[in-house]
PDB file of all heavy atoms in Angstrom:
ATOM      1  N   LEU A 184     -30.607 -42.671  41.407  1.00 94.00           N
ATOM      2  CA  LEU A 184     -31.312 -41.406  41.590  1.00 94.00           C
ATOM      3  C   LEU A 184     -30.634 -40.376  40.701  1.00 94.00           C
ATOM      4  O   LEU A 184     -29.484 -40.001  40.927  1.00 94.00           O
ATOM      5  CB  LEU A 184     -31.273 -40.959  43.058  1.00 94.00           C
ATOM      6  CG  LEU A 184     -31.912 -39.615  43.392  1.00 94.00           C
ATOM      7  CD1 LEU A 184     -33.392 -39.619  43.045  1.00 94.00           C
ATOM      8  CD2 LEU A 184     -31.702 -39.288  44.864  1.00 94.00           C
ATOM      9  N   ASN A 185     -31.316 -39.925  39.671  1.00 94.00           N
ATOM     10  CA  ASN A 185     -30.727 -38.990  38.722  1.00 94.00           C
ATOM     11  C   ASN A 185     -30.372 -37.658  39.393  1.00 94.00           C
ATOM     12  O   ASN A 185     -31.008 -37.267  40.383  1.00 94.00           O
ATOM     13  CB  ASN A 185     -31.682 -38.742  37.558  1.00 94.00           C
ATOM     14  CG  ASN A 185     -31.769 -39.922  36.609  1.00 94.00           C
ATOM     15  OD1 ASN A 185     -31.029 -40.895  36.739  1.00 94.00           O
ATOM     16  ND2 ASN A 185     -32.688 -39.852  35.661  1.00 94.00           N
ATOM     17  N   PRO A 186     -29.369 -36.940  38.866  1.00 93.00           N
ATOM     18  CA  PRO A 186     -29.041 -35.619  39.412  1.00 93.00           C
ATOM     19  C   PRO A 186     -30.274 -34.725  39.432  1.00 93.00           C
ATOM     20  O   PRO A 186     -31.014 -34.643  38.451  1.00 93.00           O
ATOM     21  CB  PRO A 186     -27.976 -35.091  38.440  1.00 93.00           C
ATOM     22  CG  PRO A 186     -27.347 -36.327  37.886  1.00 93.00           C
ATOM     23  CD  PRO A 186     -28.462 -37.320  37.755  1.00 93.00           C
ATOM     24  N   HIS A 187     -30.469 -34.040  40.539  1.00 91.00           N
ATOM     25  CA  HIS A 187     -31.679 -33.257  40.716  1.00 91.00           C
ATOM     26  C   HIS A 187     -31.433 -32.167  41.755  1.00 91.00           C
ATOM     27  O   HIS A 187     -30.426 -32.183  42.480  1.00 91.00           O
ATOM     28  CB  HIS A 187     -32.839 -34.148  41.176  1.00 91.00           C
ATOM     29  CG  HIS A 187     -32.634 -34.713  42.545  1.00 91.00           C
ATOM     30  ND1 HIS A 187     -31.738 -35.744  42.791  1.00 91.00           N
ATOM     31  CD2 HIS A 187     -33.172 -34.396  43.764  1.00 91.00           C
ATOM     32  CE1 HIS A 187     -31.748 -36.034  44.084  1.00 91.00           C
ATOM     33  NE2 HIS A 187     -32.598 -35.226  44.694  1.00 91.00           N
ATOM     34  N   LEU A 188     -32.370 -31.254  41.861  1.00 91.00           N
ATOM     35  CA  LEU A 188     -32.413 -30.270  42.930  1.00 91.00           C
ATOM     36  C   LEU A 188     -33.555 -30.634  43.863  1.00 91.00           C
ATOM     37  O   LEU A 188     -34.651 -30.970  43.403  1.00 91.00           O
ATOM     38  CB  LEU A 188     -32.642 -28.861  42.381  1.00 91.00           C
ATOM     39  CG  LEU A 188     -31.577 -28.293  41.435  1.00 91.00           C
ATOM     40  CD1 LEU A 188     -32.035 -26.937  40.913  1.00 91.00           C
ATOM     41  CD2 LEU A 188     -30.229 -28.172  42.132  1.00 91.00           C
ATOM     42  N   ASP A 189     -33.318 -30.582  45.161  1.00 86.00           N
ATOM     43  CA  ASP A 189     -34.417 -30.785  46.097  1.00 86.00           C
ATOM     44  C   ASP A 189     -35.403 -29.635  45.965  1.00 86.00           C
ATOM     45  O   ASP A 189     -35.015 -28.490  45.716  1.00 86.00           O
ATOM     46  CB  ASP A 189     -33.882 -30.841  47.532  1.00 86.00           C
ATOM     47  CG  ASP A 189     -33.097 -32.116  47.799  1.00 86.00           C
ATOM     48  OD1 ASP A 189     -33.428 -33.145  47.188  1.00 86.00           O
ATOM     49  OD2 ASP A 189     -32.157 -32.068  48.606  1.00 86.00           O
ATOM     50  N   TYR A 190     -36.690 -29.950  46.147  1.00 80.00           N
ATOM     51  CA  TYR A 190     -37.680 -28.883  46.014  1.00 80.00           C
ATOM     52  C   TYR A 190     -37.437 -27.817  47.073  1.00 80.00           C
ATOM     53  O   TYR A 190     -36.903 -28.089  48.151  1.00 80.00           O
ATOM     54  CB  TYR A 190     -39.091 -29.434  46.090  1.00 80.00           C
ATOM     55  CG  TYR A 190     -39.454 -30.130  47.386  1.00 80.00           C
ATOM     56  CD1 TYR A 190     -39.754 -29.408  48.536  1.00 80.00           C
ATOM     57  CD2 TYR A 190     -39.521 -31.515  47.448  1.00 80.00           C
ATOM     58  CE1 TYR A 190     -40.096 -30.032  49.709  1.00 80.00           C
ATOM     59  CE2 TYR A 190     -39.863 -32.155  48.629  1.00 80.00           C
ATOM     60  CZ  TYR A 190     -40.156 -31.411  49.752  1.00 80.00           C
ATOM     61  OH  TYR A 190     -40.494 -32.045  50.917  1.00 80.00           O
ATOM     62  N   SER A 191     -37.833 -26.584  46.744  1.00 84.00           N
ATOM     63  CA  SER A 191     -37.469 -25.451  47.570  1.00 84.00           C
ATOM     64  C   SER A 191     -38.363 -25.286  48.798  1.00 84.00           C
ATOM     65  O   SER A 191     -37.873 -25.046  49.898  1.00 84.00           O
ATOM     66  CB  SER A 191     -37.512 -24.167  46.741  1.00 84.00           C
ATOM     67  OG  SER A 191     -37.189 -23.042  47.530  1.00 84.00           O
ATOM     68  N   ARG A 192     -39.677 -25.384  48.633  1.00 87.00           N
ATOM     69  CA  ARG A 192     -40.603 -25.118  49.725  1.00 87.00           C
ATOM     70  C   ARG A 192     -41.165 -26.411  50.301  1.00 87.00           C
ATOM     71  O   ARG A 192     -41.549 -27.313  49.565  1.00 87.00           O
ATOM     72  CB  ARG A 192     -41.756 -24.241  49.229  1.00 87.00           C
ATOM     73  CG  ARG A 192     -41.363 -22.849  48.748  1.00 87.00           C
ATOM     74  CD  ARG A 192     -40.840 -21.978  49.891  1.00 87.00           C
ATOM     75  NE  ARG A 192     -40.455 -20.653  49.427  1.00 87.00           N
ATOM     76  CZ  ARG A 192     -41.286 -19.605  49.445  1.00 87.00           C
ATOM     77  NH1 ARG A 192     -42.521 -19.741  49.894  1.00 87.00           N
ATOM     78  NH2 ARG A 192     -40.875 -18.427  49.000  1.00 87.00           N
ATOM     79  N   HIS A 193     -41.235 -26.458  51.627  1.00 89.00           N
ATOM     80  CA  HIS A 193     -41.869 -27.581  52.299  1.00 89.00           C
ATOM     81  C   HIS A 193     -43.358 -27.566  51.965  1.00 89.00           C
ATOM     82  O   HIS A 193     -44.011 -26.516  52.046  1.00 89.00           O
ATOM     83  CB  HIS A 193     -41.662 -27.462  53.809  1.00 89.00           C
ATOM     84  CG  HIS A 193     -42.042 -28.678  54.577  1.00 89.00           C
ATOM     85  ND1 HIS A 193     -43.361 -29.003  54.825  1.00 89.00           N
ATOM     86  CD2 HIS A 193     -41.297 -29.652  55.157  1.00 89.00           C
ATOM     87  CE1 HIS A 193     -43.406 -30.126  55.533  1.00 89.00           C
ATOM     88  NE2 HIS A 193     -42.169 -30.543  55.740  1.00 89.00           N
ATOM     89  N   PRO A 194     -43.947 -28.698  51.578  1.00 86.00           N
ATOM     90  CA  PRO A 194     -45.324 -28.693  51.084  1.00 86.00           C
ATOM     91  C   PRO A 194     -46.370 -28.367  52.145  1.00 86.00           C
ATOM     92  O   PRO A 194     -47.484 -27.975  51.790  1.00 86.00           O
ATOM     93  CB  PRO A 194     -45.512 -30.121  50.562  1.00 86.00           C
ATOM     94  CG  PRO A 194     -44.521 -30.938  51.315  1.00 86.00           C
ATOM     95  CD  PRO A 194     -43.335 -30.034  51.508  1.00 86.00           C
ATOM     96  N   LYS A 195     -46.049 -28.497  53.412  1.00 88.00           N
ATOM     97  CA  LYS A 195     -47.036 -28.228  54.457  1.00 88.00           C
ATOM     98  C   LYS A 195     -46.689 -27.027  55.325  1.00 88.00           C
ATOM     99  O   LYS A 195     -47.580 -26.316  55.777  1.00 88.00           O
ATOM    100  CB  LYS A 195     -47.217 -29.474  55.340  1.00 88.00           C
ATOM    101  CG  LYS A 195     -47.777 -30.676  54.580  1.00 88.00           C
ATOM    102  CD  LYS A 195     -48.066 -31.818  55.512  1.00 88.00           C
ATOM    103  CE  LYS A 195     -48.614 -33.022  54.736  1.00 88.00           C
ATOM    104  NZ  LYS A 195     -49.917 -32.737  54.091  1.00 88.00           N
ATOM    105  N   LEU A 196     -45.401 -26.792  55.555  1.00 90.00           N
ATOM    106  CA  LEU A 196     -44.996 -25.718  56.450  1.00 90.00           C
ATOM    107  C   LEU A 196     -44.725 -24.406  55.735  1.00 90.00           C
ATOM    108  O   LEU A 196     -44.684 -23.357  56.366  1.00 90.00           O
ATOM    109  CB  LEU A 196     -43.737 -26.144  57.233  1.00 90.00           C
ATOM    110  CG  LEU A 196     -43.894 -27.387  58.114  1.00 90.00           C
ATOM    111  CD1 LEU A 196     -42.556 -27.738  58.771  1.00 90.00           C
ATOM    112  CD2 LEU A 196     -44.956 -27.167  59.180  1.00 90.00           C
ATOM    113  N   GLY A 197     -44.484 -24.463  54.428  1.00 89.00           N
ATOM    114  CA  GLY A 197     -44.187 -23.248  53.681  1.00 89.00           C
ATOM    115  C   GLY A 197     -42.789 -22.718  53.908  1.00 89.00           C
ATOM    116  O   GLY A 197     -42.429 -21.665  53.388  1.00 89.00           O
ATOM    117  N   LEU A 198     -41.978 -23.427  54.699  1.00 94.00           N
ATOM    118  CA  LEU A 198     -40.605 -23.018  54.927  1.00 94.00           C
ATOM    119  C   LEU A 198     -39.721 -23.500  53.785  1.00 94.00           C
ATOM    120  O   LEU A 198     -40.106 -24.355  52.999  1.00 94.00           O
ATOM    121  CB  LEU A 198     -40.101 -23.588  56.252  1.00 94.00           C
ATOM    122  CG  LEU A 198     -40.825 -23.094  57.509  1.00 94.00           C
ATOM    123  CD1 LEU A 198     -40.339 -23.847  58.739  1.00 94.00           C
ATOM    124  CD2 LEU A 198     -40.624 -21.593  57.690  1.00 94.00           C
ATOM    125  N   GLN A 199     -38.536 -22.958  53.714  1.00 94.00           N
ATOM    126  CA  GLN A 199     -37.597 -23.297  52.647  1.00 94.00           C
ATOM    127  C   GLN A 199     -36.631 -24.372  53.117  1.00 94.00           C
ATOM    128  O   GLN A 199     -36.090 -24.310  54.218  1.00 94.00           O
ATOM    129  CB  GLN A 199     -36.806 -22.061  52.233  1.00 94.00           C
ATOM    130  CG  GLN A 199     -35.871 -22.275  51.057  1.00 94.00           C
ATOM    131  CD  GLN A 199     -35.184 -20.988  50.633  1.00 94.00           C
ATOM    132  OE1 GLN A 199     -35.279 -19.976  51.322  1.00 94.00           O
ATOM    133  NE2 GLN A 199     -34.504 -21.014  49.518  1.00 94.00           N
ATOM    134  N   ARG A 200     -36.413 -25.394  52.300  1.00 94.00           N
ATOM    135  CA  ARG A 200     -35.388 -26.374  52.611  1.00 94.00           C
ATOM    136  C   ARG A 200     -34.027 -25.703  52.561  1.00 94.00           C
ATOM    137  O   ARG A 200     -33.704 -24.998  51.617  1.00 94.00           O
ATOM    138  CB  ARG A 200     -35.416 -27.509  51.591  1.00 94.00           C
ATOM    139  CG  ARG A 200     -36.383 -28.625  51.910  1.00 94.00           C
ATOM    140  CD  ARG A 200     -36.215 -29.727  50.912  1.00 94.00           C
ATOM    141  NE  ARG A 200     -36.967 -30.920  51.269  1.00 94.00           N
ATOM    142  CZ  ARG A 200     -36.966 -32.028  50.556  1.00 94.00           C
ATOM    143  NH1 ARG A 200     -36.245 -32.101  49.451  1.00 94.00           N
ATOM    144  NH2 ARG A 200     -37.666 -33.073  50.938  1.00 94.00           N
ATOM    145  N   ARG A 201     -33.213 -25.984  53.577  1.00 95.00           N
ATOM    146  CA  ARG A 201     -31.882 -25.372  53.601  1.00 95.00           C
ATOM    147  C   ARG A 201     -30.766 -26.412  53.653  1.00 95.00           C
ATOM    148  O   ARG A 201     -29.762 -26.290  52.957  1.00 95.00           O
ATOM    149  CB  ARG A 201     -31.762 -24.430  54.801  1.00 95.00           C
ATOM    150  CG  ARG A 201     -30.368 -23.785  54.967  1.00 95.00           C
ATOM    151  CD  ARG A 201     -30.036 -22.874  53.801  1.00 95.00           C
ATOM    152  NE  ARG A 201     -28.645 -22.465  53.825  1.00 95.00           N
ATOM    153  CZ  ARG A 201     -28.188 -21.347  54.360  1.00 95.00           C
ATOM    154  NH1 ARG A 201     -29.011 -20.527  54.968  1.00 95.00           N
ATOM    155  NH2 ARG A 201     -26.914 -21.044  54.296  1.00 95.00           N
ATOM    156  N   LEU A 202     -30.912 -27.432  54.507  1.00 97.00           N
ATOM    157  CA  LEU A 202     -29.854 -28.419  54.678  1.00 97.00           C
ATOM    158  C   LEU A 202     -30.393 -29.833  54.529  1.00 97.00           C
ATOM    159  O   LEU A 202     -31.534 -30.114  54.886  1.00 97.00           O
ATOM    160  CB  LEU A 202     -29.216 -28.300  56.071  1.00 97.00           C
ATOM    161  CG  LEU A 202     -28.577 -26.983  56.478  1.00 97.00           C
ATOM    162  CD1 LEU A 202     -28.048 -27.096  57.900  1.00 97.00           C
ATOM    163  CD2 LEU A 202     -27.469 -26.595  55.519  1.00 97.00           C
ATOM    164  N   ASN A 203     -29.538 -30.719  54.042  1.00 97.00           N
ATOM    165  CA  ASN A 203     -29.825 -32.152  53.996  1.00 97.00           C
ATOM    166  C   ASN A 203     -28.699 -32.874  54.718  1.00 97.00           C
ATOM    167  O   ASN A 203     -27.529 -32.662  54.415  1.00 97.00           O
ATOM    168  CB  ASN A 203     -29.922 -32.620  52.539  1.00 97.00           C
ATOM    169  CG  ASN A 203     -30.384 -34.068  52.417  1.00 97.00           C
ATOM    170  OD1 ASN A 203     -30.667 -34.734  53.403  1.00 97.00           O
ATOM    171  ND2 ASN A 203     -30.479 -34.547  51.191  1.00 97.00           N
ATOM    172  N   LEU A 204     -29.057 -33.700  55.698  1.00 98.00           N
ATOM    173  CA  LEU A 204     -28.086 -34.533  56.404  1.00 98.00           C
ATOM    174  C   LEU A 204     -28.384 -35.990  56.093  1.00 98.00           C
ATOM    175  O   LEU A 204     -29.496 -36.464  56.301  1.00 98.00           O
ATOM    176  CB  LEU A 204     -28.171 -34.294  57.914  1.00 98.00           C
ATOM    177  CG  LEU A 204     -27.302 -35.205  58.797  1.00 98.00           C
ATOM    178  CD1 LEU A 204     -25.820 -34.973  58.519  1.00 98.00           C
ATOM    179  CD2 LEU A 204     -27.614 -34.979  60.275  1.00 98.00           C
ATOM    180  N   ILE A 205     -27.384 -36.706  55.568  1.00 98.00           N
ATOM    181  CA  ILE A 205     -27.505 -38.116  55.214  1.00 98.00           C
ATOM    182  C   ILE A 205     -26.475 -38.904  56.014  1.00 98.00           C
ATOM    183  O   ILE A 205     -25.314 -38.492  56.119  1.00 98.00           O
ATOM    184  CB  ILE A 205     -27.261 -38.337  53.709  1.00 98.00           C
ATOM    185  CG1 ILE A 205     -28.204 -37.466  52.862  1.00 98.00           C
ATOM    186  CG2 ILE A 205     -27.453 -39.814  53.340  1.00 98.00           C
ATOM    187  CD1 ILE A 205     -27.860 -37.472  51.381  1.00 98.00           C
ATOM    188  N   ILE A 206     -26.888 -40.050  56.561  1.00 98.00           N
ATOM    189  CA  ILE A 206     -25.984 -40.927  57.310  1.00 98.00           C
ATOM    190  C   ILE A 206     -26.063 -42.315  56.685  1.00 98.00           C
ATOM    191  O   ILE A 206     -27.142 -42.909  56.601  1.00 98.00           O
ATOM    192  CB  ILE A 206     -26.375 -41.000  58.794  1.00 98.00           C
ATOM    193  CG1 ILE A 206     -26.498 -39.595  59.399  1.00 98.00           C
ATOM    194  CG2 ILE A 206     -25.354 -41.832  59.575  1.00 98.00           C
ATOM    195  CD1 ILE A 206     -27.173 -39.573  60.754  1.00 98.00           C
ATOM    196  N   TYR A 207     -24.921 -42.846  56.263  1.00 98.00           N
ATOM    197  CA  TYR A 207     -24.881 -44.151  55.602  1.00 98.00           C
ATOM    198  C   TYR A 207     -24.621 -45.250  56.632  1.00 98.00           C
ATOM    199  O   TYR A 207     -23.713 -45.135  57.462  1.00 98.00           O
ATOM    200  CB  TYR A 207     -23.801 -44.163  54.516  1.00 98.00           C
ATOM    201  CG  TYR A 207     -24.073 -43.162  53.425  1.00 98.00           C
ATOM    202  CD1 TYR A 207     -23.325 -41.999  53.320  1.00 98.00           C
ATOM    203  CD2 TYR A 207     -25.108 -43.365  52.518  1.00 98.00           C
ATOM    204  CE1 TYR A 207     -23.591 -41.060  52.333  1.00 98.00           C
ATOM    205  CE2 TYR A 207     -25.383 -42.437  51.526  1.00 98.00           C
ATOM    206  CZ  TYR A 207     -24.626 -41.291  51.440  1.00 98.00           C
ATOM    207  OH  TYR A 207     -24.890 -40.363  50.464  1.00 98.00           O
ATOM    208  N   VAL A 208     -25.402 -46.339  56.547  1.00 98.00           N
ATOM    209  CA  VAL A 208     -25.357 -47.351  57.607  1.00 98.00           C
ATOM    210  C   VAL A 208     -25.245 -48.778  57.069  1.00 98.00           C
ATOM    211  O   VAL A 208     -25.670 -49.720  57.723  1.00 98.00           O
ATOM    212  CB  VAL A 208     -26.593 -47.215  58.534  1.00 98.00           C
ATOM    213  CG1 VAL A 208     -26.552 -45.904  59.307  1.00 98.00           C
ATOM    214  CG2 VAL A 208     -27.898 -47.330  57.750  1.00 98.00           C
TER     215      VAL A 208
END
């Protein structure tokens, strides 16, 4: 996955992405 920025606005809710939580399993 190349370096990138997550998109800013949620496509359906119009809210702004703020946090990403990832859990490795």
Side-chain angles (χ1 to χ4, degrees):
L184 177 61
N185 287 353
H187 66 286
L188 298 176
D189 289 329
Y190 61 77
S191 179
R192 297 293 180 93
H193 191 284
K195 297 186 181 296
L196 300 177
L198 297 174
Q199 184 176 9
R200 274 186 171 181
R201 177 64 191 265
L202 301 179
N203 187 2
L204 174 64
I205 305 171
I206 307 167
Y207 298 107
V208 294

